[in-house]
């Protein structure tokens, strides 16, 4: 008879072994997970493989369009030219500005040409090399309000590009009566006479160019042009709500700044109603008036012989009454400032040569200011 032997396991020991095996397995899994995450975070960089072949070219896009530069719309403006004194004015009341390439420049018509390269605004006439096909018009100038200074014509060129309009105005002064042509850039210059009266006196005028444009419809402009806002001595529009844009170049007050005075003309019952566009004041020049018969200001550190124009805004000081001034010492009659804001919209440079002024201008076609004409 065979005896069966049954071995009974120790359940407690088996449980311990099982738990140890499971613990080791969990640790291994956790270790592998950590390694995997480390590879993902740190990365593993191997040698870079060869560059693959380029892909197929994409489809061609639609054709582009050439930039279109809009021409200047036909406008009517007026010109005034003064010799040394604002009372000696001549002008052309109505001048047509057009960019119609079929138009011919004439005595009352200026044809603006589109330029690929902007002319240099330096007051030196570069001729066709700078202005291209923008031929000069010889504009006839007549008496304004019965006054005449002998200047019979002005030569005007106009050009434009996408951003700017460019103008060149030339005229030659004429000896008339007791007037002799000269470069009048020393308006009301102070001069000391120590040998005679032992006093300070002021002498000298300035030349002037004005260009006037409609901003709103102005009564009488269609027939009288700039005469509708200028009576020979003052500027003002004929009726309330009517506004004009006036560009004023002066051979002393604006000459030294590199800009001309951009002004707006409105209606007034009496007196002049033109004023500088928005900007800092004084816009261009502060008068150096008399104080007890002497200049109010002088250049800081001025020698006893005085100084010439310009007297800039950053260098003037109170007049030194104790200084021993030399005979014929001079002090400018105006202090020059650099304009800002809308007042400084029109850049300008001028040259006087052998009796002829050449004034060149540049202005944005659209300044974004409500007090400026759009060109």
């Amino acid at each position: 008879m065979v005896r069966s032997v049954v071995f009974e396991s120790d359940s407690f020991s088996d449980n311990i072994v099982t738990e140890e095996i499971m613990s080791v397995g969990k640790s291994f899994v956790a270790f592998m997970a950590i390694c995997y995450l480390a590879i993902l975070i740190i990365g593993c960089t191997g040698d870079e493989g060869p560059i693959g072949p380029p892909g197929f070219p994409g489809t061609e896009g639609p054709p582009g369009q050439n930039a279109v530069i809009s021409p200047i719309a036909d406008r009517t403006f007026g010109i005034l030219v003064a010799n040394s004194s604002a009372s000696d004015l001549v002008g052309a009341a109505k001048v047509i500005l057009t960019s119609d390439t079929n138009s011919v420049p004439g005595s009352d018509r200026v044809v603006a040409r589109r330029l690929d390269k902007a002319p240099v605004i330096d007051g030196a006439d570069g001729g066709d090399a700078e202005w291209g096909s923008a031929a000069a018009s010889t504009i006839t100038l007549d008496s304004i309000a019965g006054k005449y200074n002998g200047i019979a014509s002005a030569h005007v060129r106009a050009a434009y590009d996408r951003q700017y309009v460019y103008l060149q105005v030339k005229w030659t002064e004429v000896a008339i009566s007791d007037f002799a042509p000269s470069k009048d850039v020393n308006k009301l210059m102070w001069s000391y006479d120590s040998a005679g009266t032992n006093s300070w006196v002021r002498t000298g005028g300035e030349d002037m160019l004005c260009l006037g444009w409609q901003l709103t419809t102005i009564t009488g402009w269609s027939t009288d042009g700039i005469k509708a806002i200028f009576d020979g001595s003052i500027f003002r529009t004929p009726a309330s709500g009517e506004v004009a844009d006036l560009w004023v170049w002066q051979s002393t007050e604006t000459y030294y700044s590199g800009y001309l005075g951009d002004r707006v003309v409105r209606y007034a019952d009496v007196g002049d109603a033109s004023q500088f566009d928005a900007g800092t004041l004084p816009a261009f020049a502060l008068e150096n008036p008399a104080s007890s018969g002497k200049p109010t200001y002088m250049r800081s550190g001025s020698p006893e012989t005085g100084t010439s124009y310009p007297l800039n805004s950053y260098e003037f000081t109170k007049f030194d009454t104790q200084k021993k001034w030399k005979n014929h010492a001079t002090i400018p009659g105006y202090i020059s400032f650099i304009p800002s804001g809308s007042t400084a919209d029109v850049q300008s440079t001028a040259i006087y040569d052998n009796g002829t002024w050449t004034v060149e201008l540049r202005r944005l076609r659209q300044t974004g200011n409500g007090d400026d004409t759009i060109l």
Side-chain angles (χ1 to χ4, degrees), residues 67-82:
V68 176
I69 299 177
S70 59
I72 293 176
D74 289 1
R75 299 295 305 274
T76 300
F77 68 102
I79 300 176
L80 300 173
V81 175

Side-chain angles (χ1 to χ4, degrees), residues 287-305:
E287 187 177 358
N288 185 3
S291 178
S292 300
K294 302 177 180 64
T296 301
Y297 306 107
M298 57 177 252
R299 182 173 297 160
S300 179
S302 171
E304 295 174 347
T305 54

Side-chain angles (χ1 to χ4, degrees), residues 205-229:
E206 69 175 355
D207 302 324
M208 183 183 299
L209 168 69
C210 300
L211 302 176
W213 314 79
Q214 282 192 105
L215 275 180
T216 66
T217 299
I218 295 175
T219 303
W221 187 276
S222 61
T223 55
D224 298 329
I226 201 170
K227 289 182 180 180
I229 64 170

Side-chain angles (χ1 to χ4, degrees), residues 95-373:
V95 179
I96 298 171
L97 175 65
T98 182
S99 57
D100 182 355
T101 56
N102 294 318
S103 291
V104 178
S107 61
D108 62 352
R109 181 181 297 268
V110 177
V111 181
R113 300 298 189 189
R114 182 171 67 85
L115 298 180
D116 295 325
K117 182 179 179 181
V120 179
I121 304 303
D122 57 3
D125 187 359
D128 294 344
E130 283 189 8
W131 293 85
S133 59
S137 296
T138 301
I139 304 299
T140 301
L141 304 180
D142 298 312
S143 171
I144 298 292
K147 299 172 182 178
Y148 189 67
N149 59 22
I151 302 174
S153 63
H155 302 284
V156 182
R157 291 182 190 259
Y160 67 96
D161 54 26
R162 177 181 295 277
Q163 284 189 294
Y164 293 97
V165 62
Y166 309 92
L167 288 171
Q168 180 194 81
V169 184
K170 296 178 64 174
W171 69 93
T172 300
E173 295 184 341
V174 177
I176 185 171
S177 186
D178 59 350
F179 173 79
S182 63
K183 184 180 181 180
D184 294 309
V185 293
N186 300 306
K187 182 179 180 180
L188 295 180
M189 175 73 89
W190 285 100
S191 179
Y192 185 58
D193 180 11
S194 63
T197 61
N198 196 34
S199 62
W200 288 88
V201 295
R202 304 180 77 184
T203 58
E206 69 175 355
D207 302 324
M208 183 183 299
L209 168 69
C210 300
L211 302 176
W213 314 79
Q214 282 192 105
L215 275 180
T216 66
T217 299
I218 295 175
T219 303
W221 187 276
S222 61
T223 55
D224 298 329
I226 201 170
K227 289 182 180 180
I229 64 170
F230 183 66
D231 65 1
S233 59
I234 61 173
F235 289 94
R236 64 185 180 197
T237 58
S240 178
E242 297 181 349
V243 185
D245 189 11
L246 184 66
W247 302 355
V248 182
W249 173 86
Q250 296 166 267
S251 64
T252 297
E253 290 194 41
T254 69
Y255 174 73
Y256 297 102
S257 70
Y259 298 84
L260 58 71
D262 192 0
R263 305 178 73 98
V264 61
V265 182
R266 294 187 171 88
Y267 169 75
D269 289 329
V270 294
D272 188 89
S274 68
Q275 62 184 35
F276 286 116
D277 290 358
T280 56
L281 293 174
F284 290 92
L286 174 68
E287 187 177 358
N288 185 3
S291 178
S292 300
K294 302 177 180 64
T296 301
Y297 306 107
M298 57 177 252
R299 182 173 297 160
S300 179
S302 171
E304 295 174 347
T305 54
T307 53
S308 60
Y309 270 102
L311 174 55
N312 294 304
S313 58
Y314 54 82
E315 60 183 357
F316 76 98
T317 188
K318 283 287 188 179
F319 179 77
D320 185 355
T321 58
Q322 303 303 313
K323 187 180 286 289
K324 302 299 182 182
W325 297 98
K326 299 290 187 181
N327 191 34
H328 303 310
T330 57
I331 295 177
Y334 284 84
I335 301 161
S336 299
F337 287 76
I338 302 298
S340 65
S342 184
T343 304
D345 285 328
V346 189
Q347 294 177 277
S348 71
T349 306
I351 288 179
Y352 183 88
D353 181 35
N354 196 29
T356 298
W357 275 112
T358 301
V359 180
E360 295 185 333
L361 318 172
R362 184 184 83 162
R363 204 211 73 175
L364 285 170
R365 295 181 62 182
Q366 295 193 43
T367 66
N369 300 317
D371 49 18
D372 293 320
T373 189

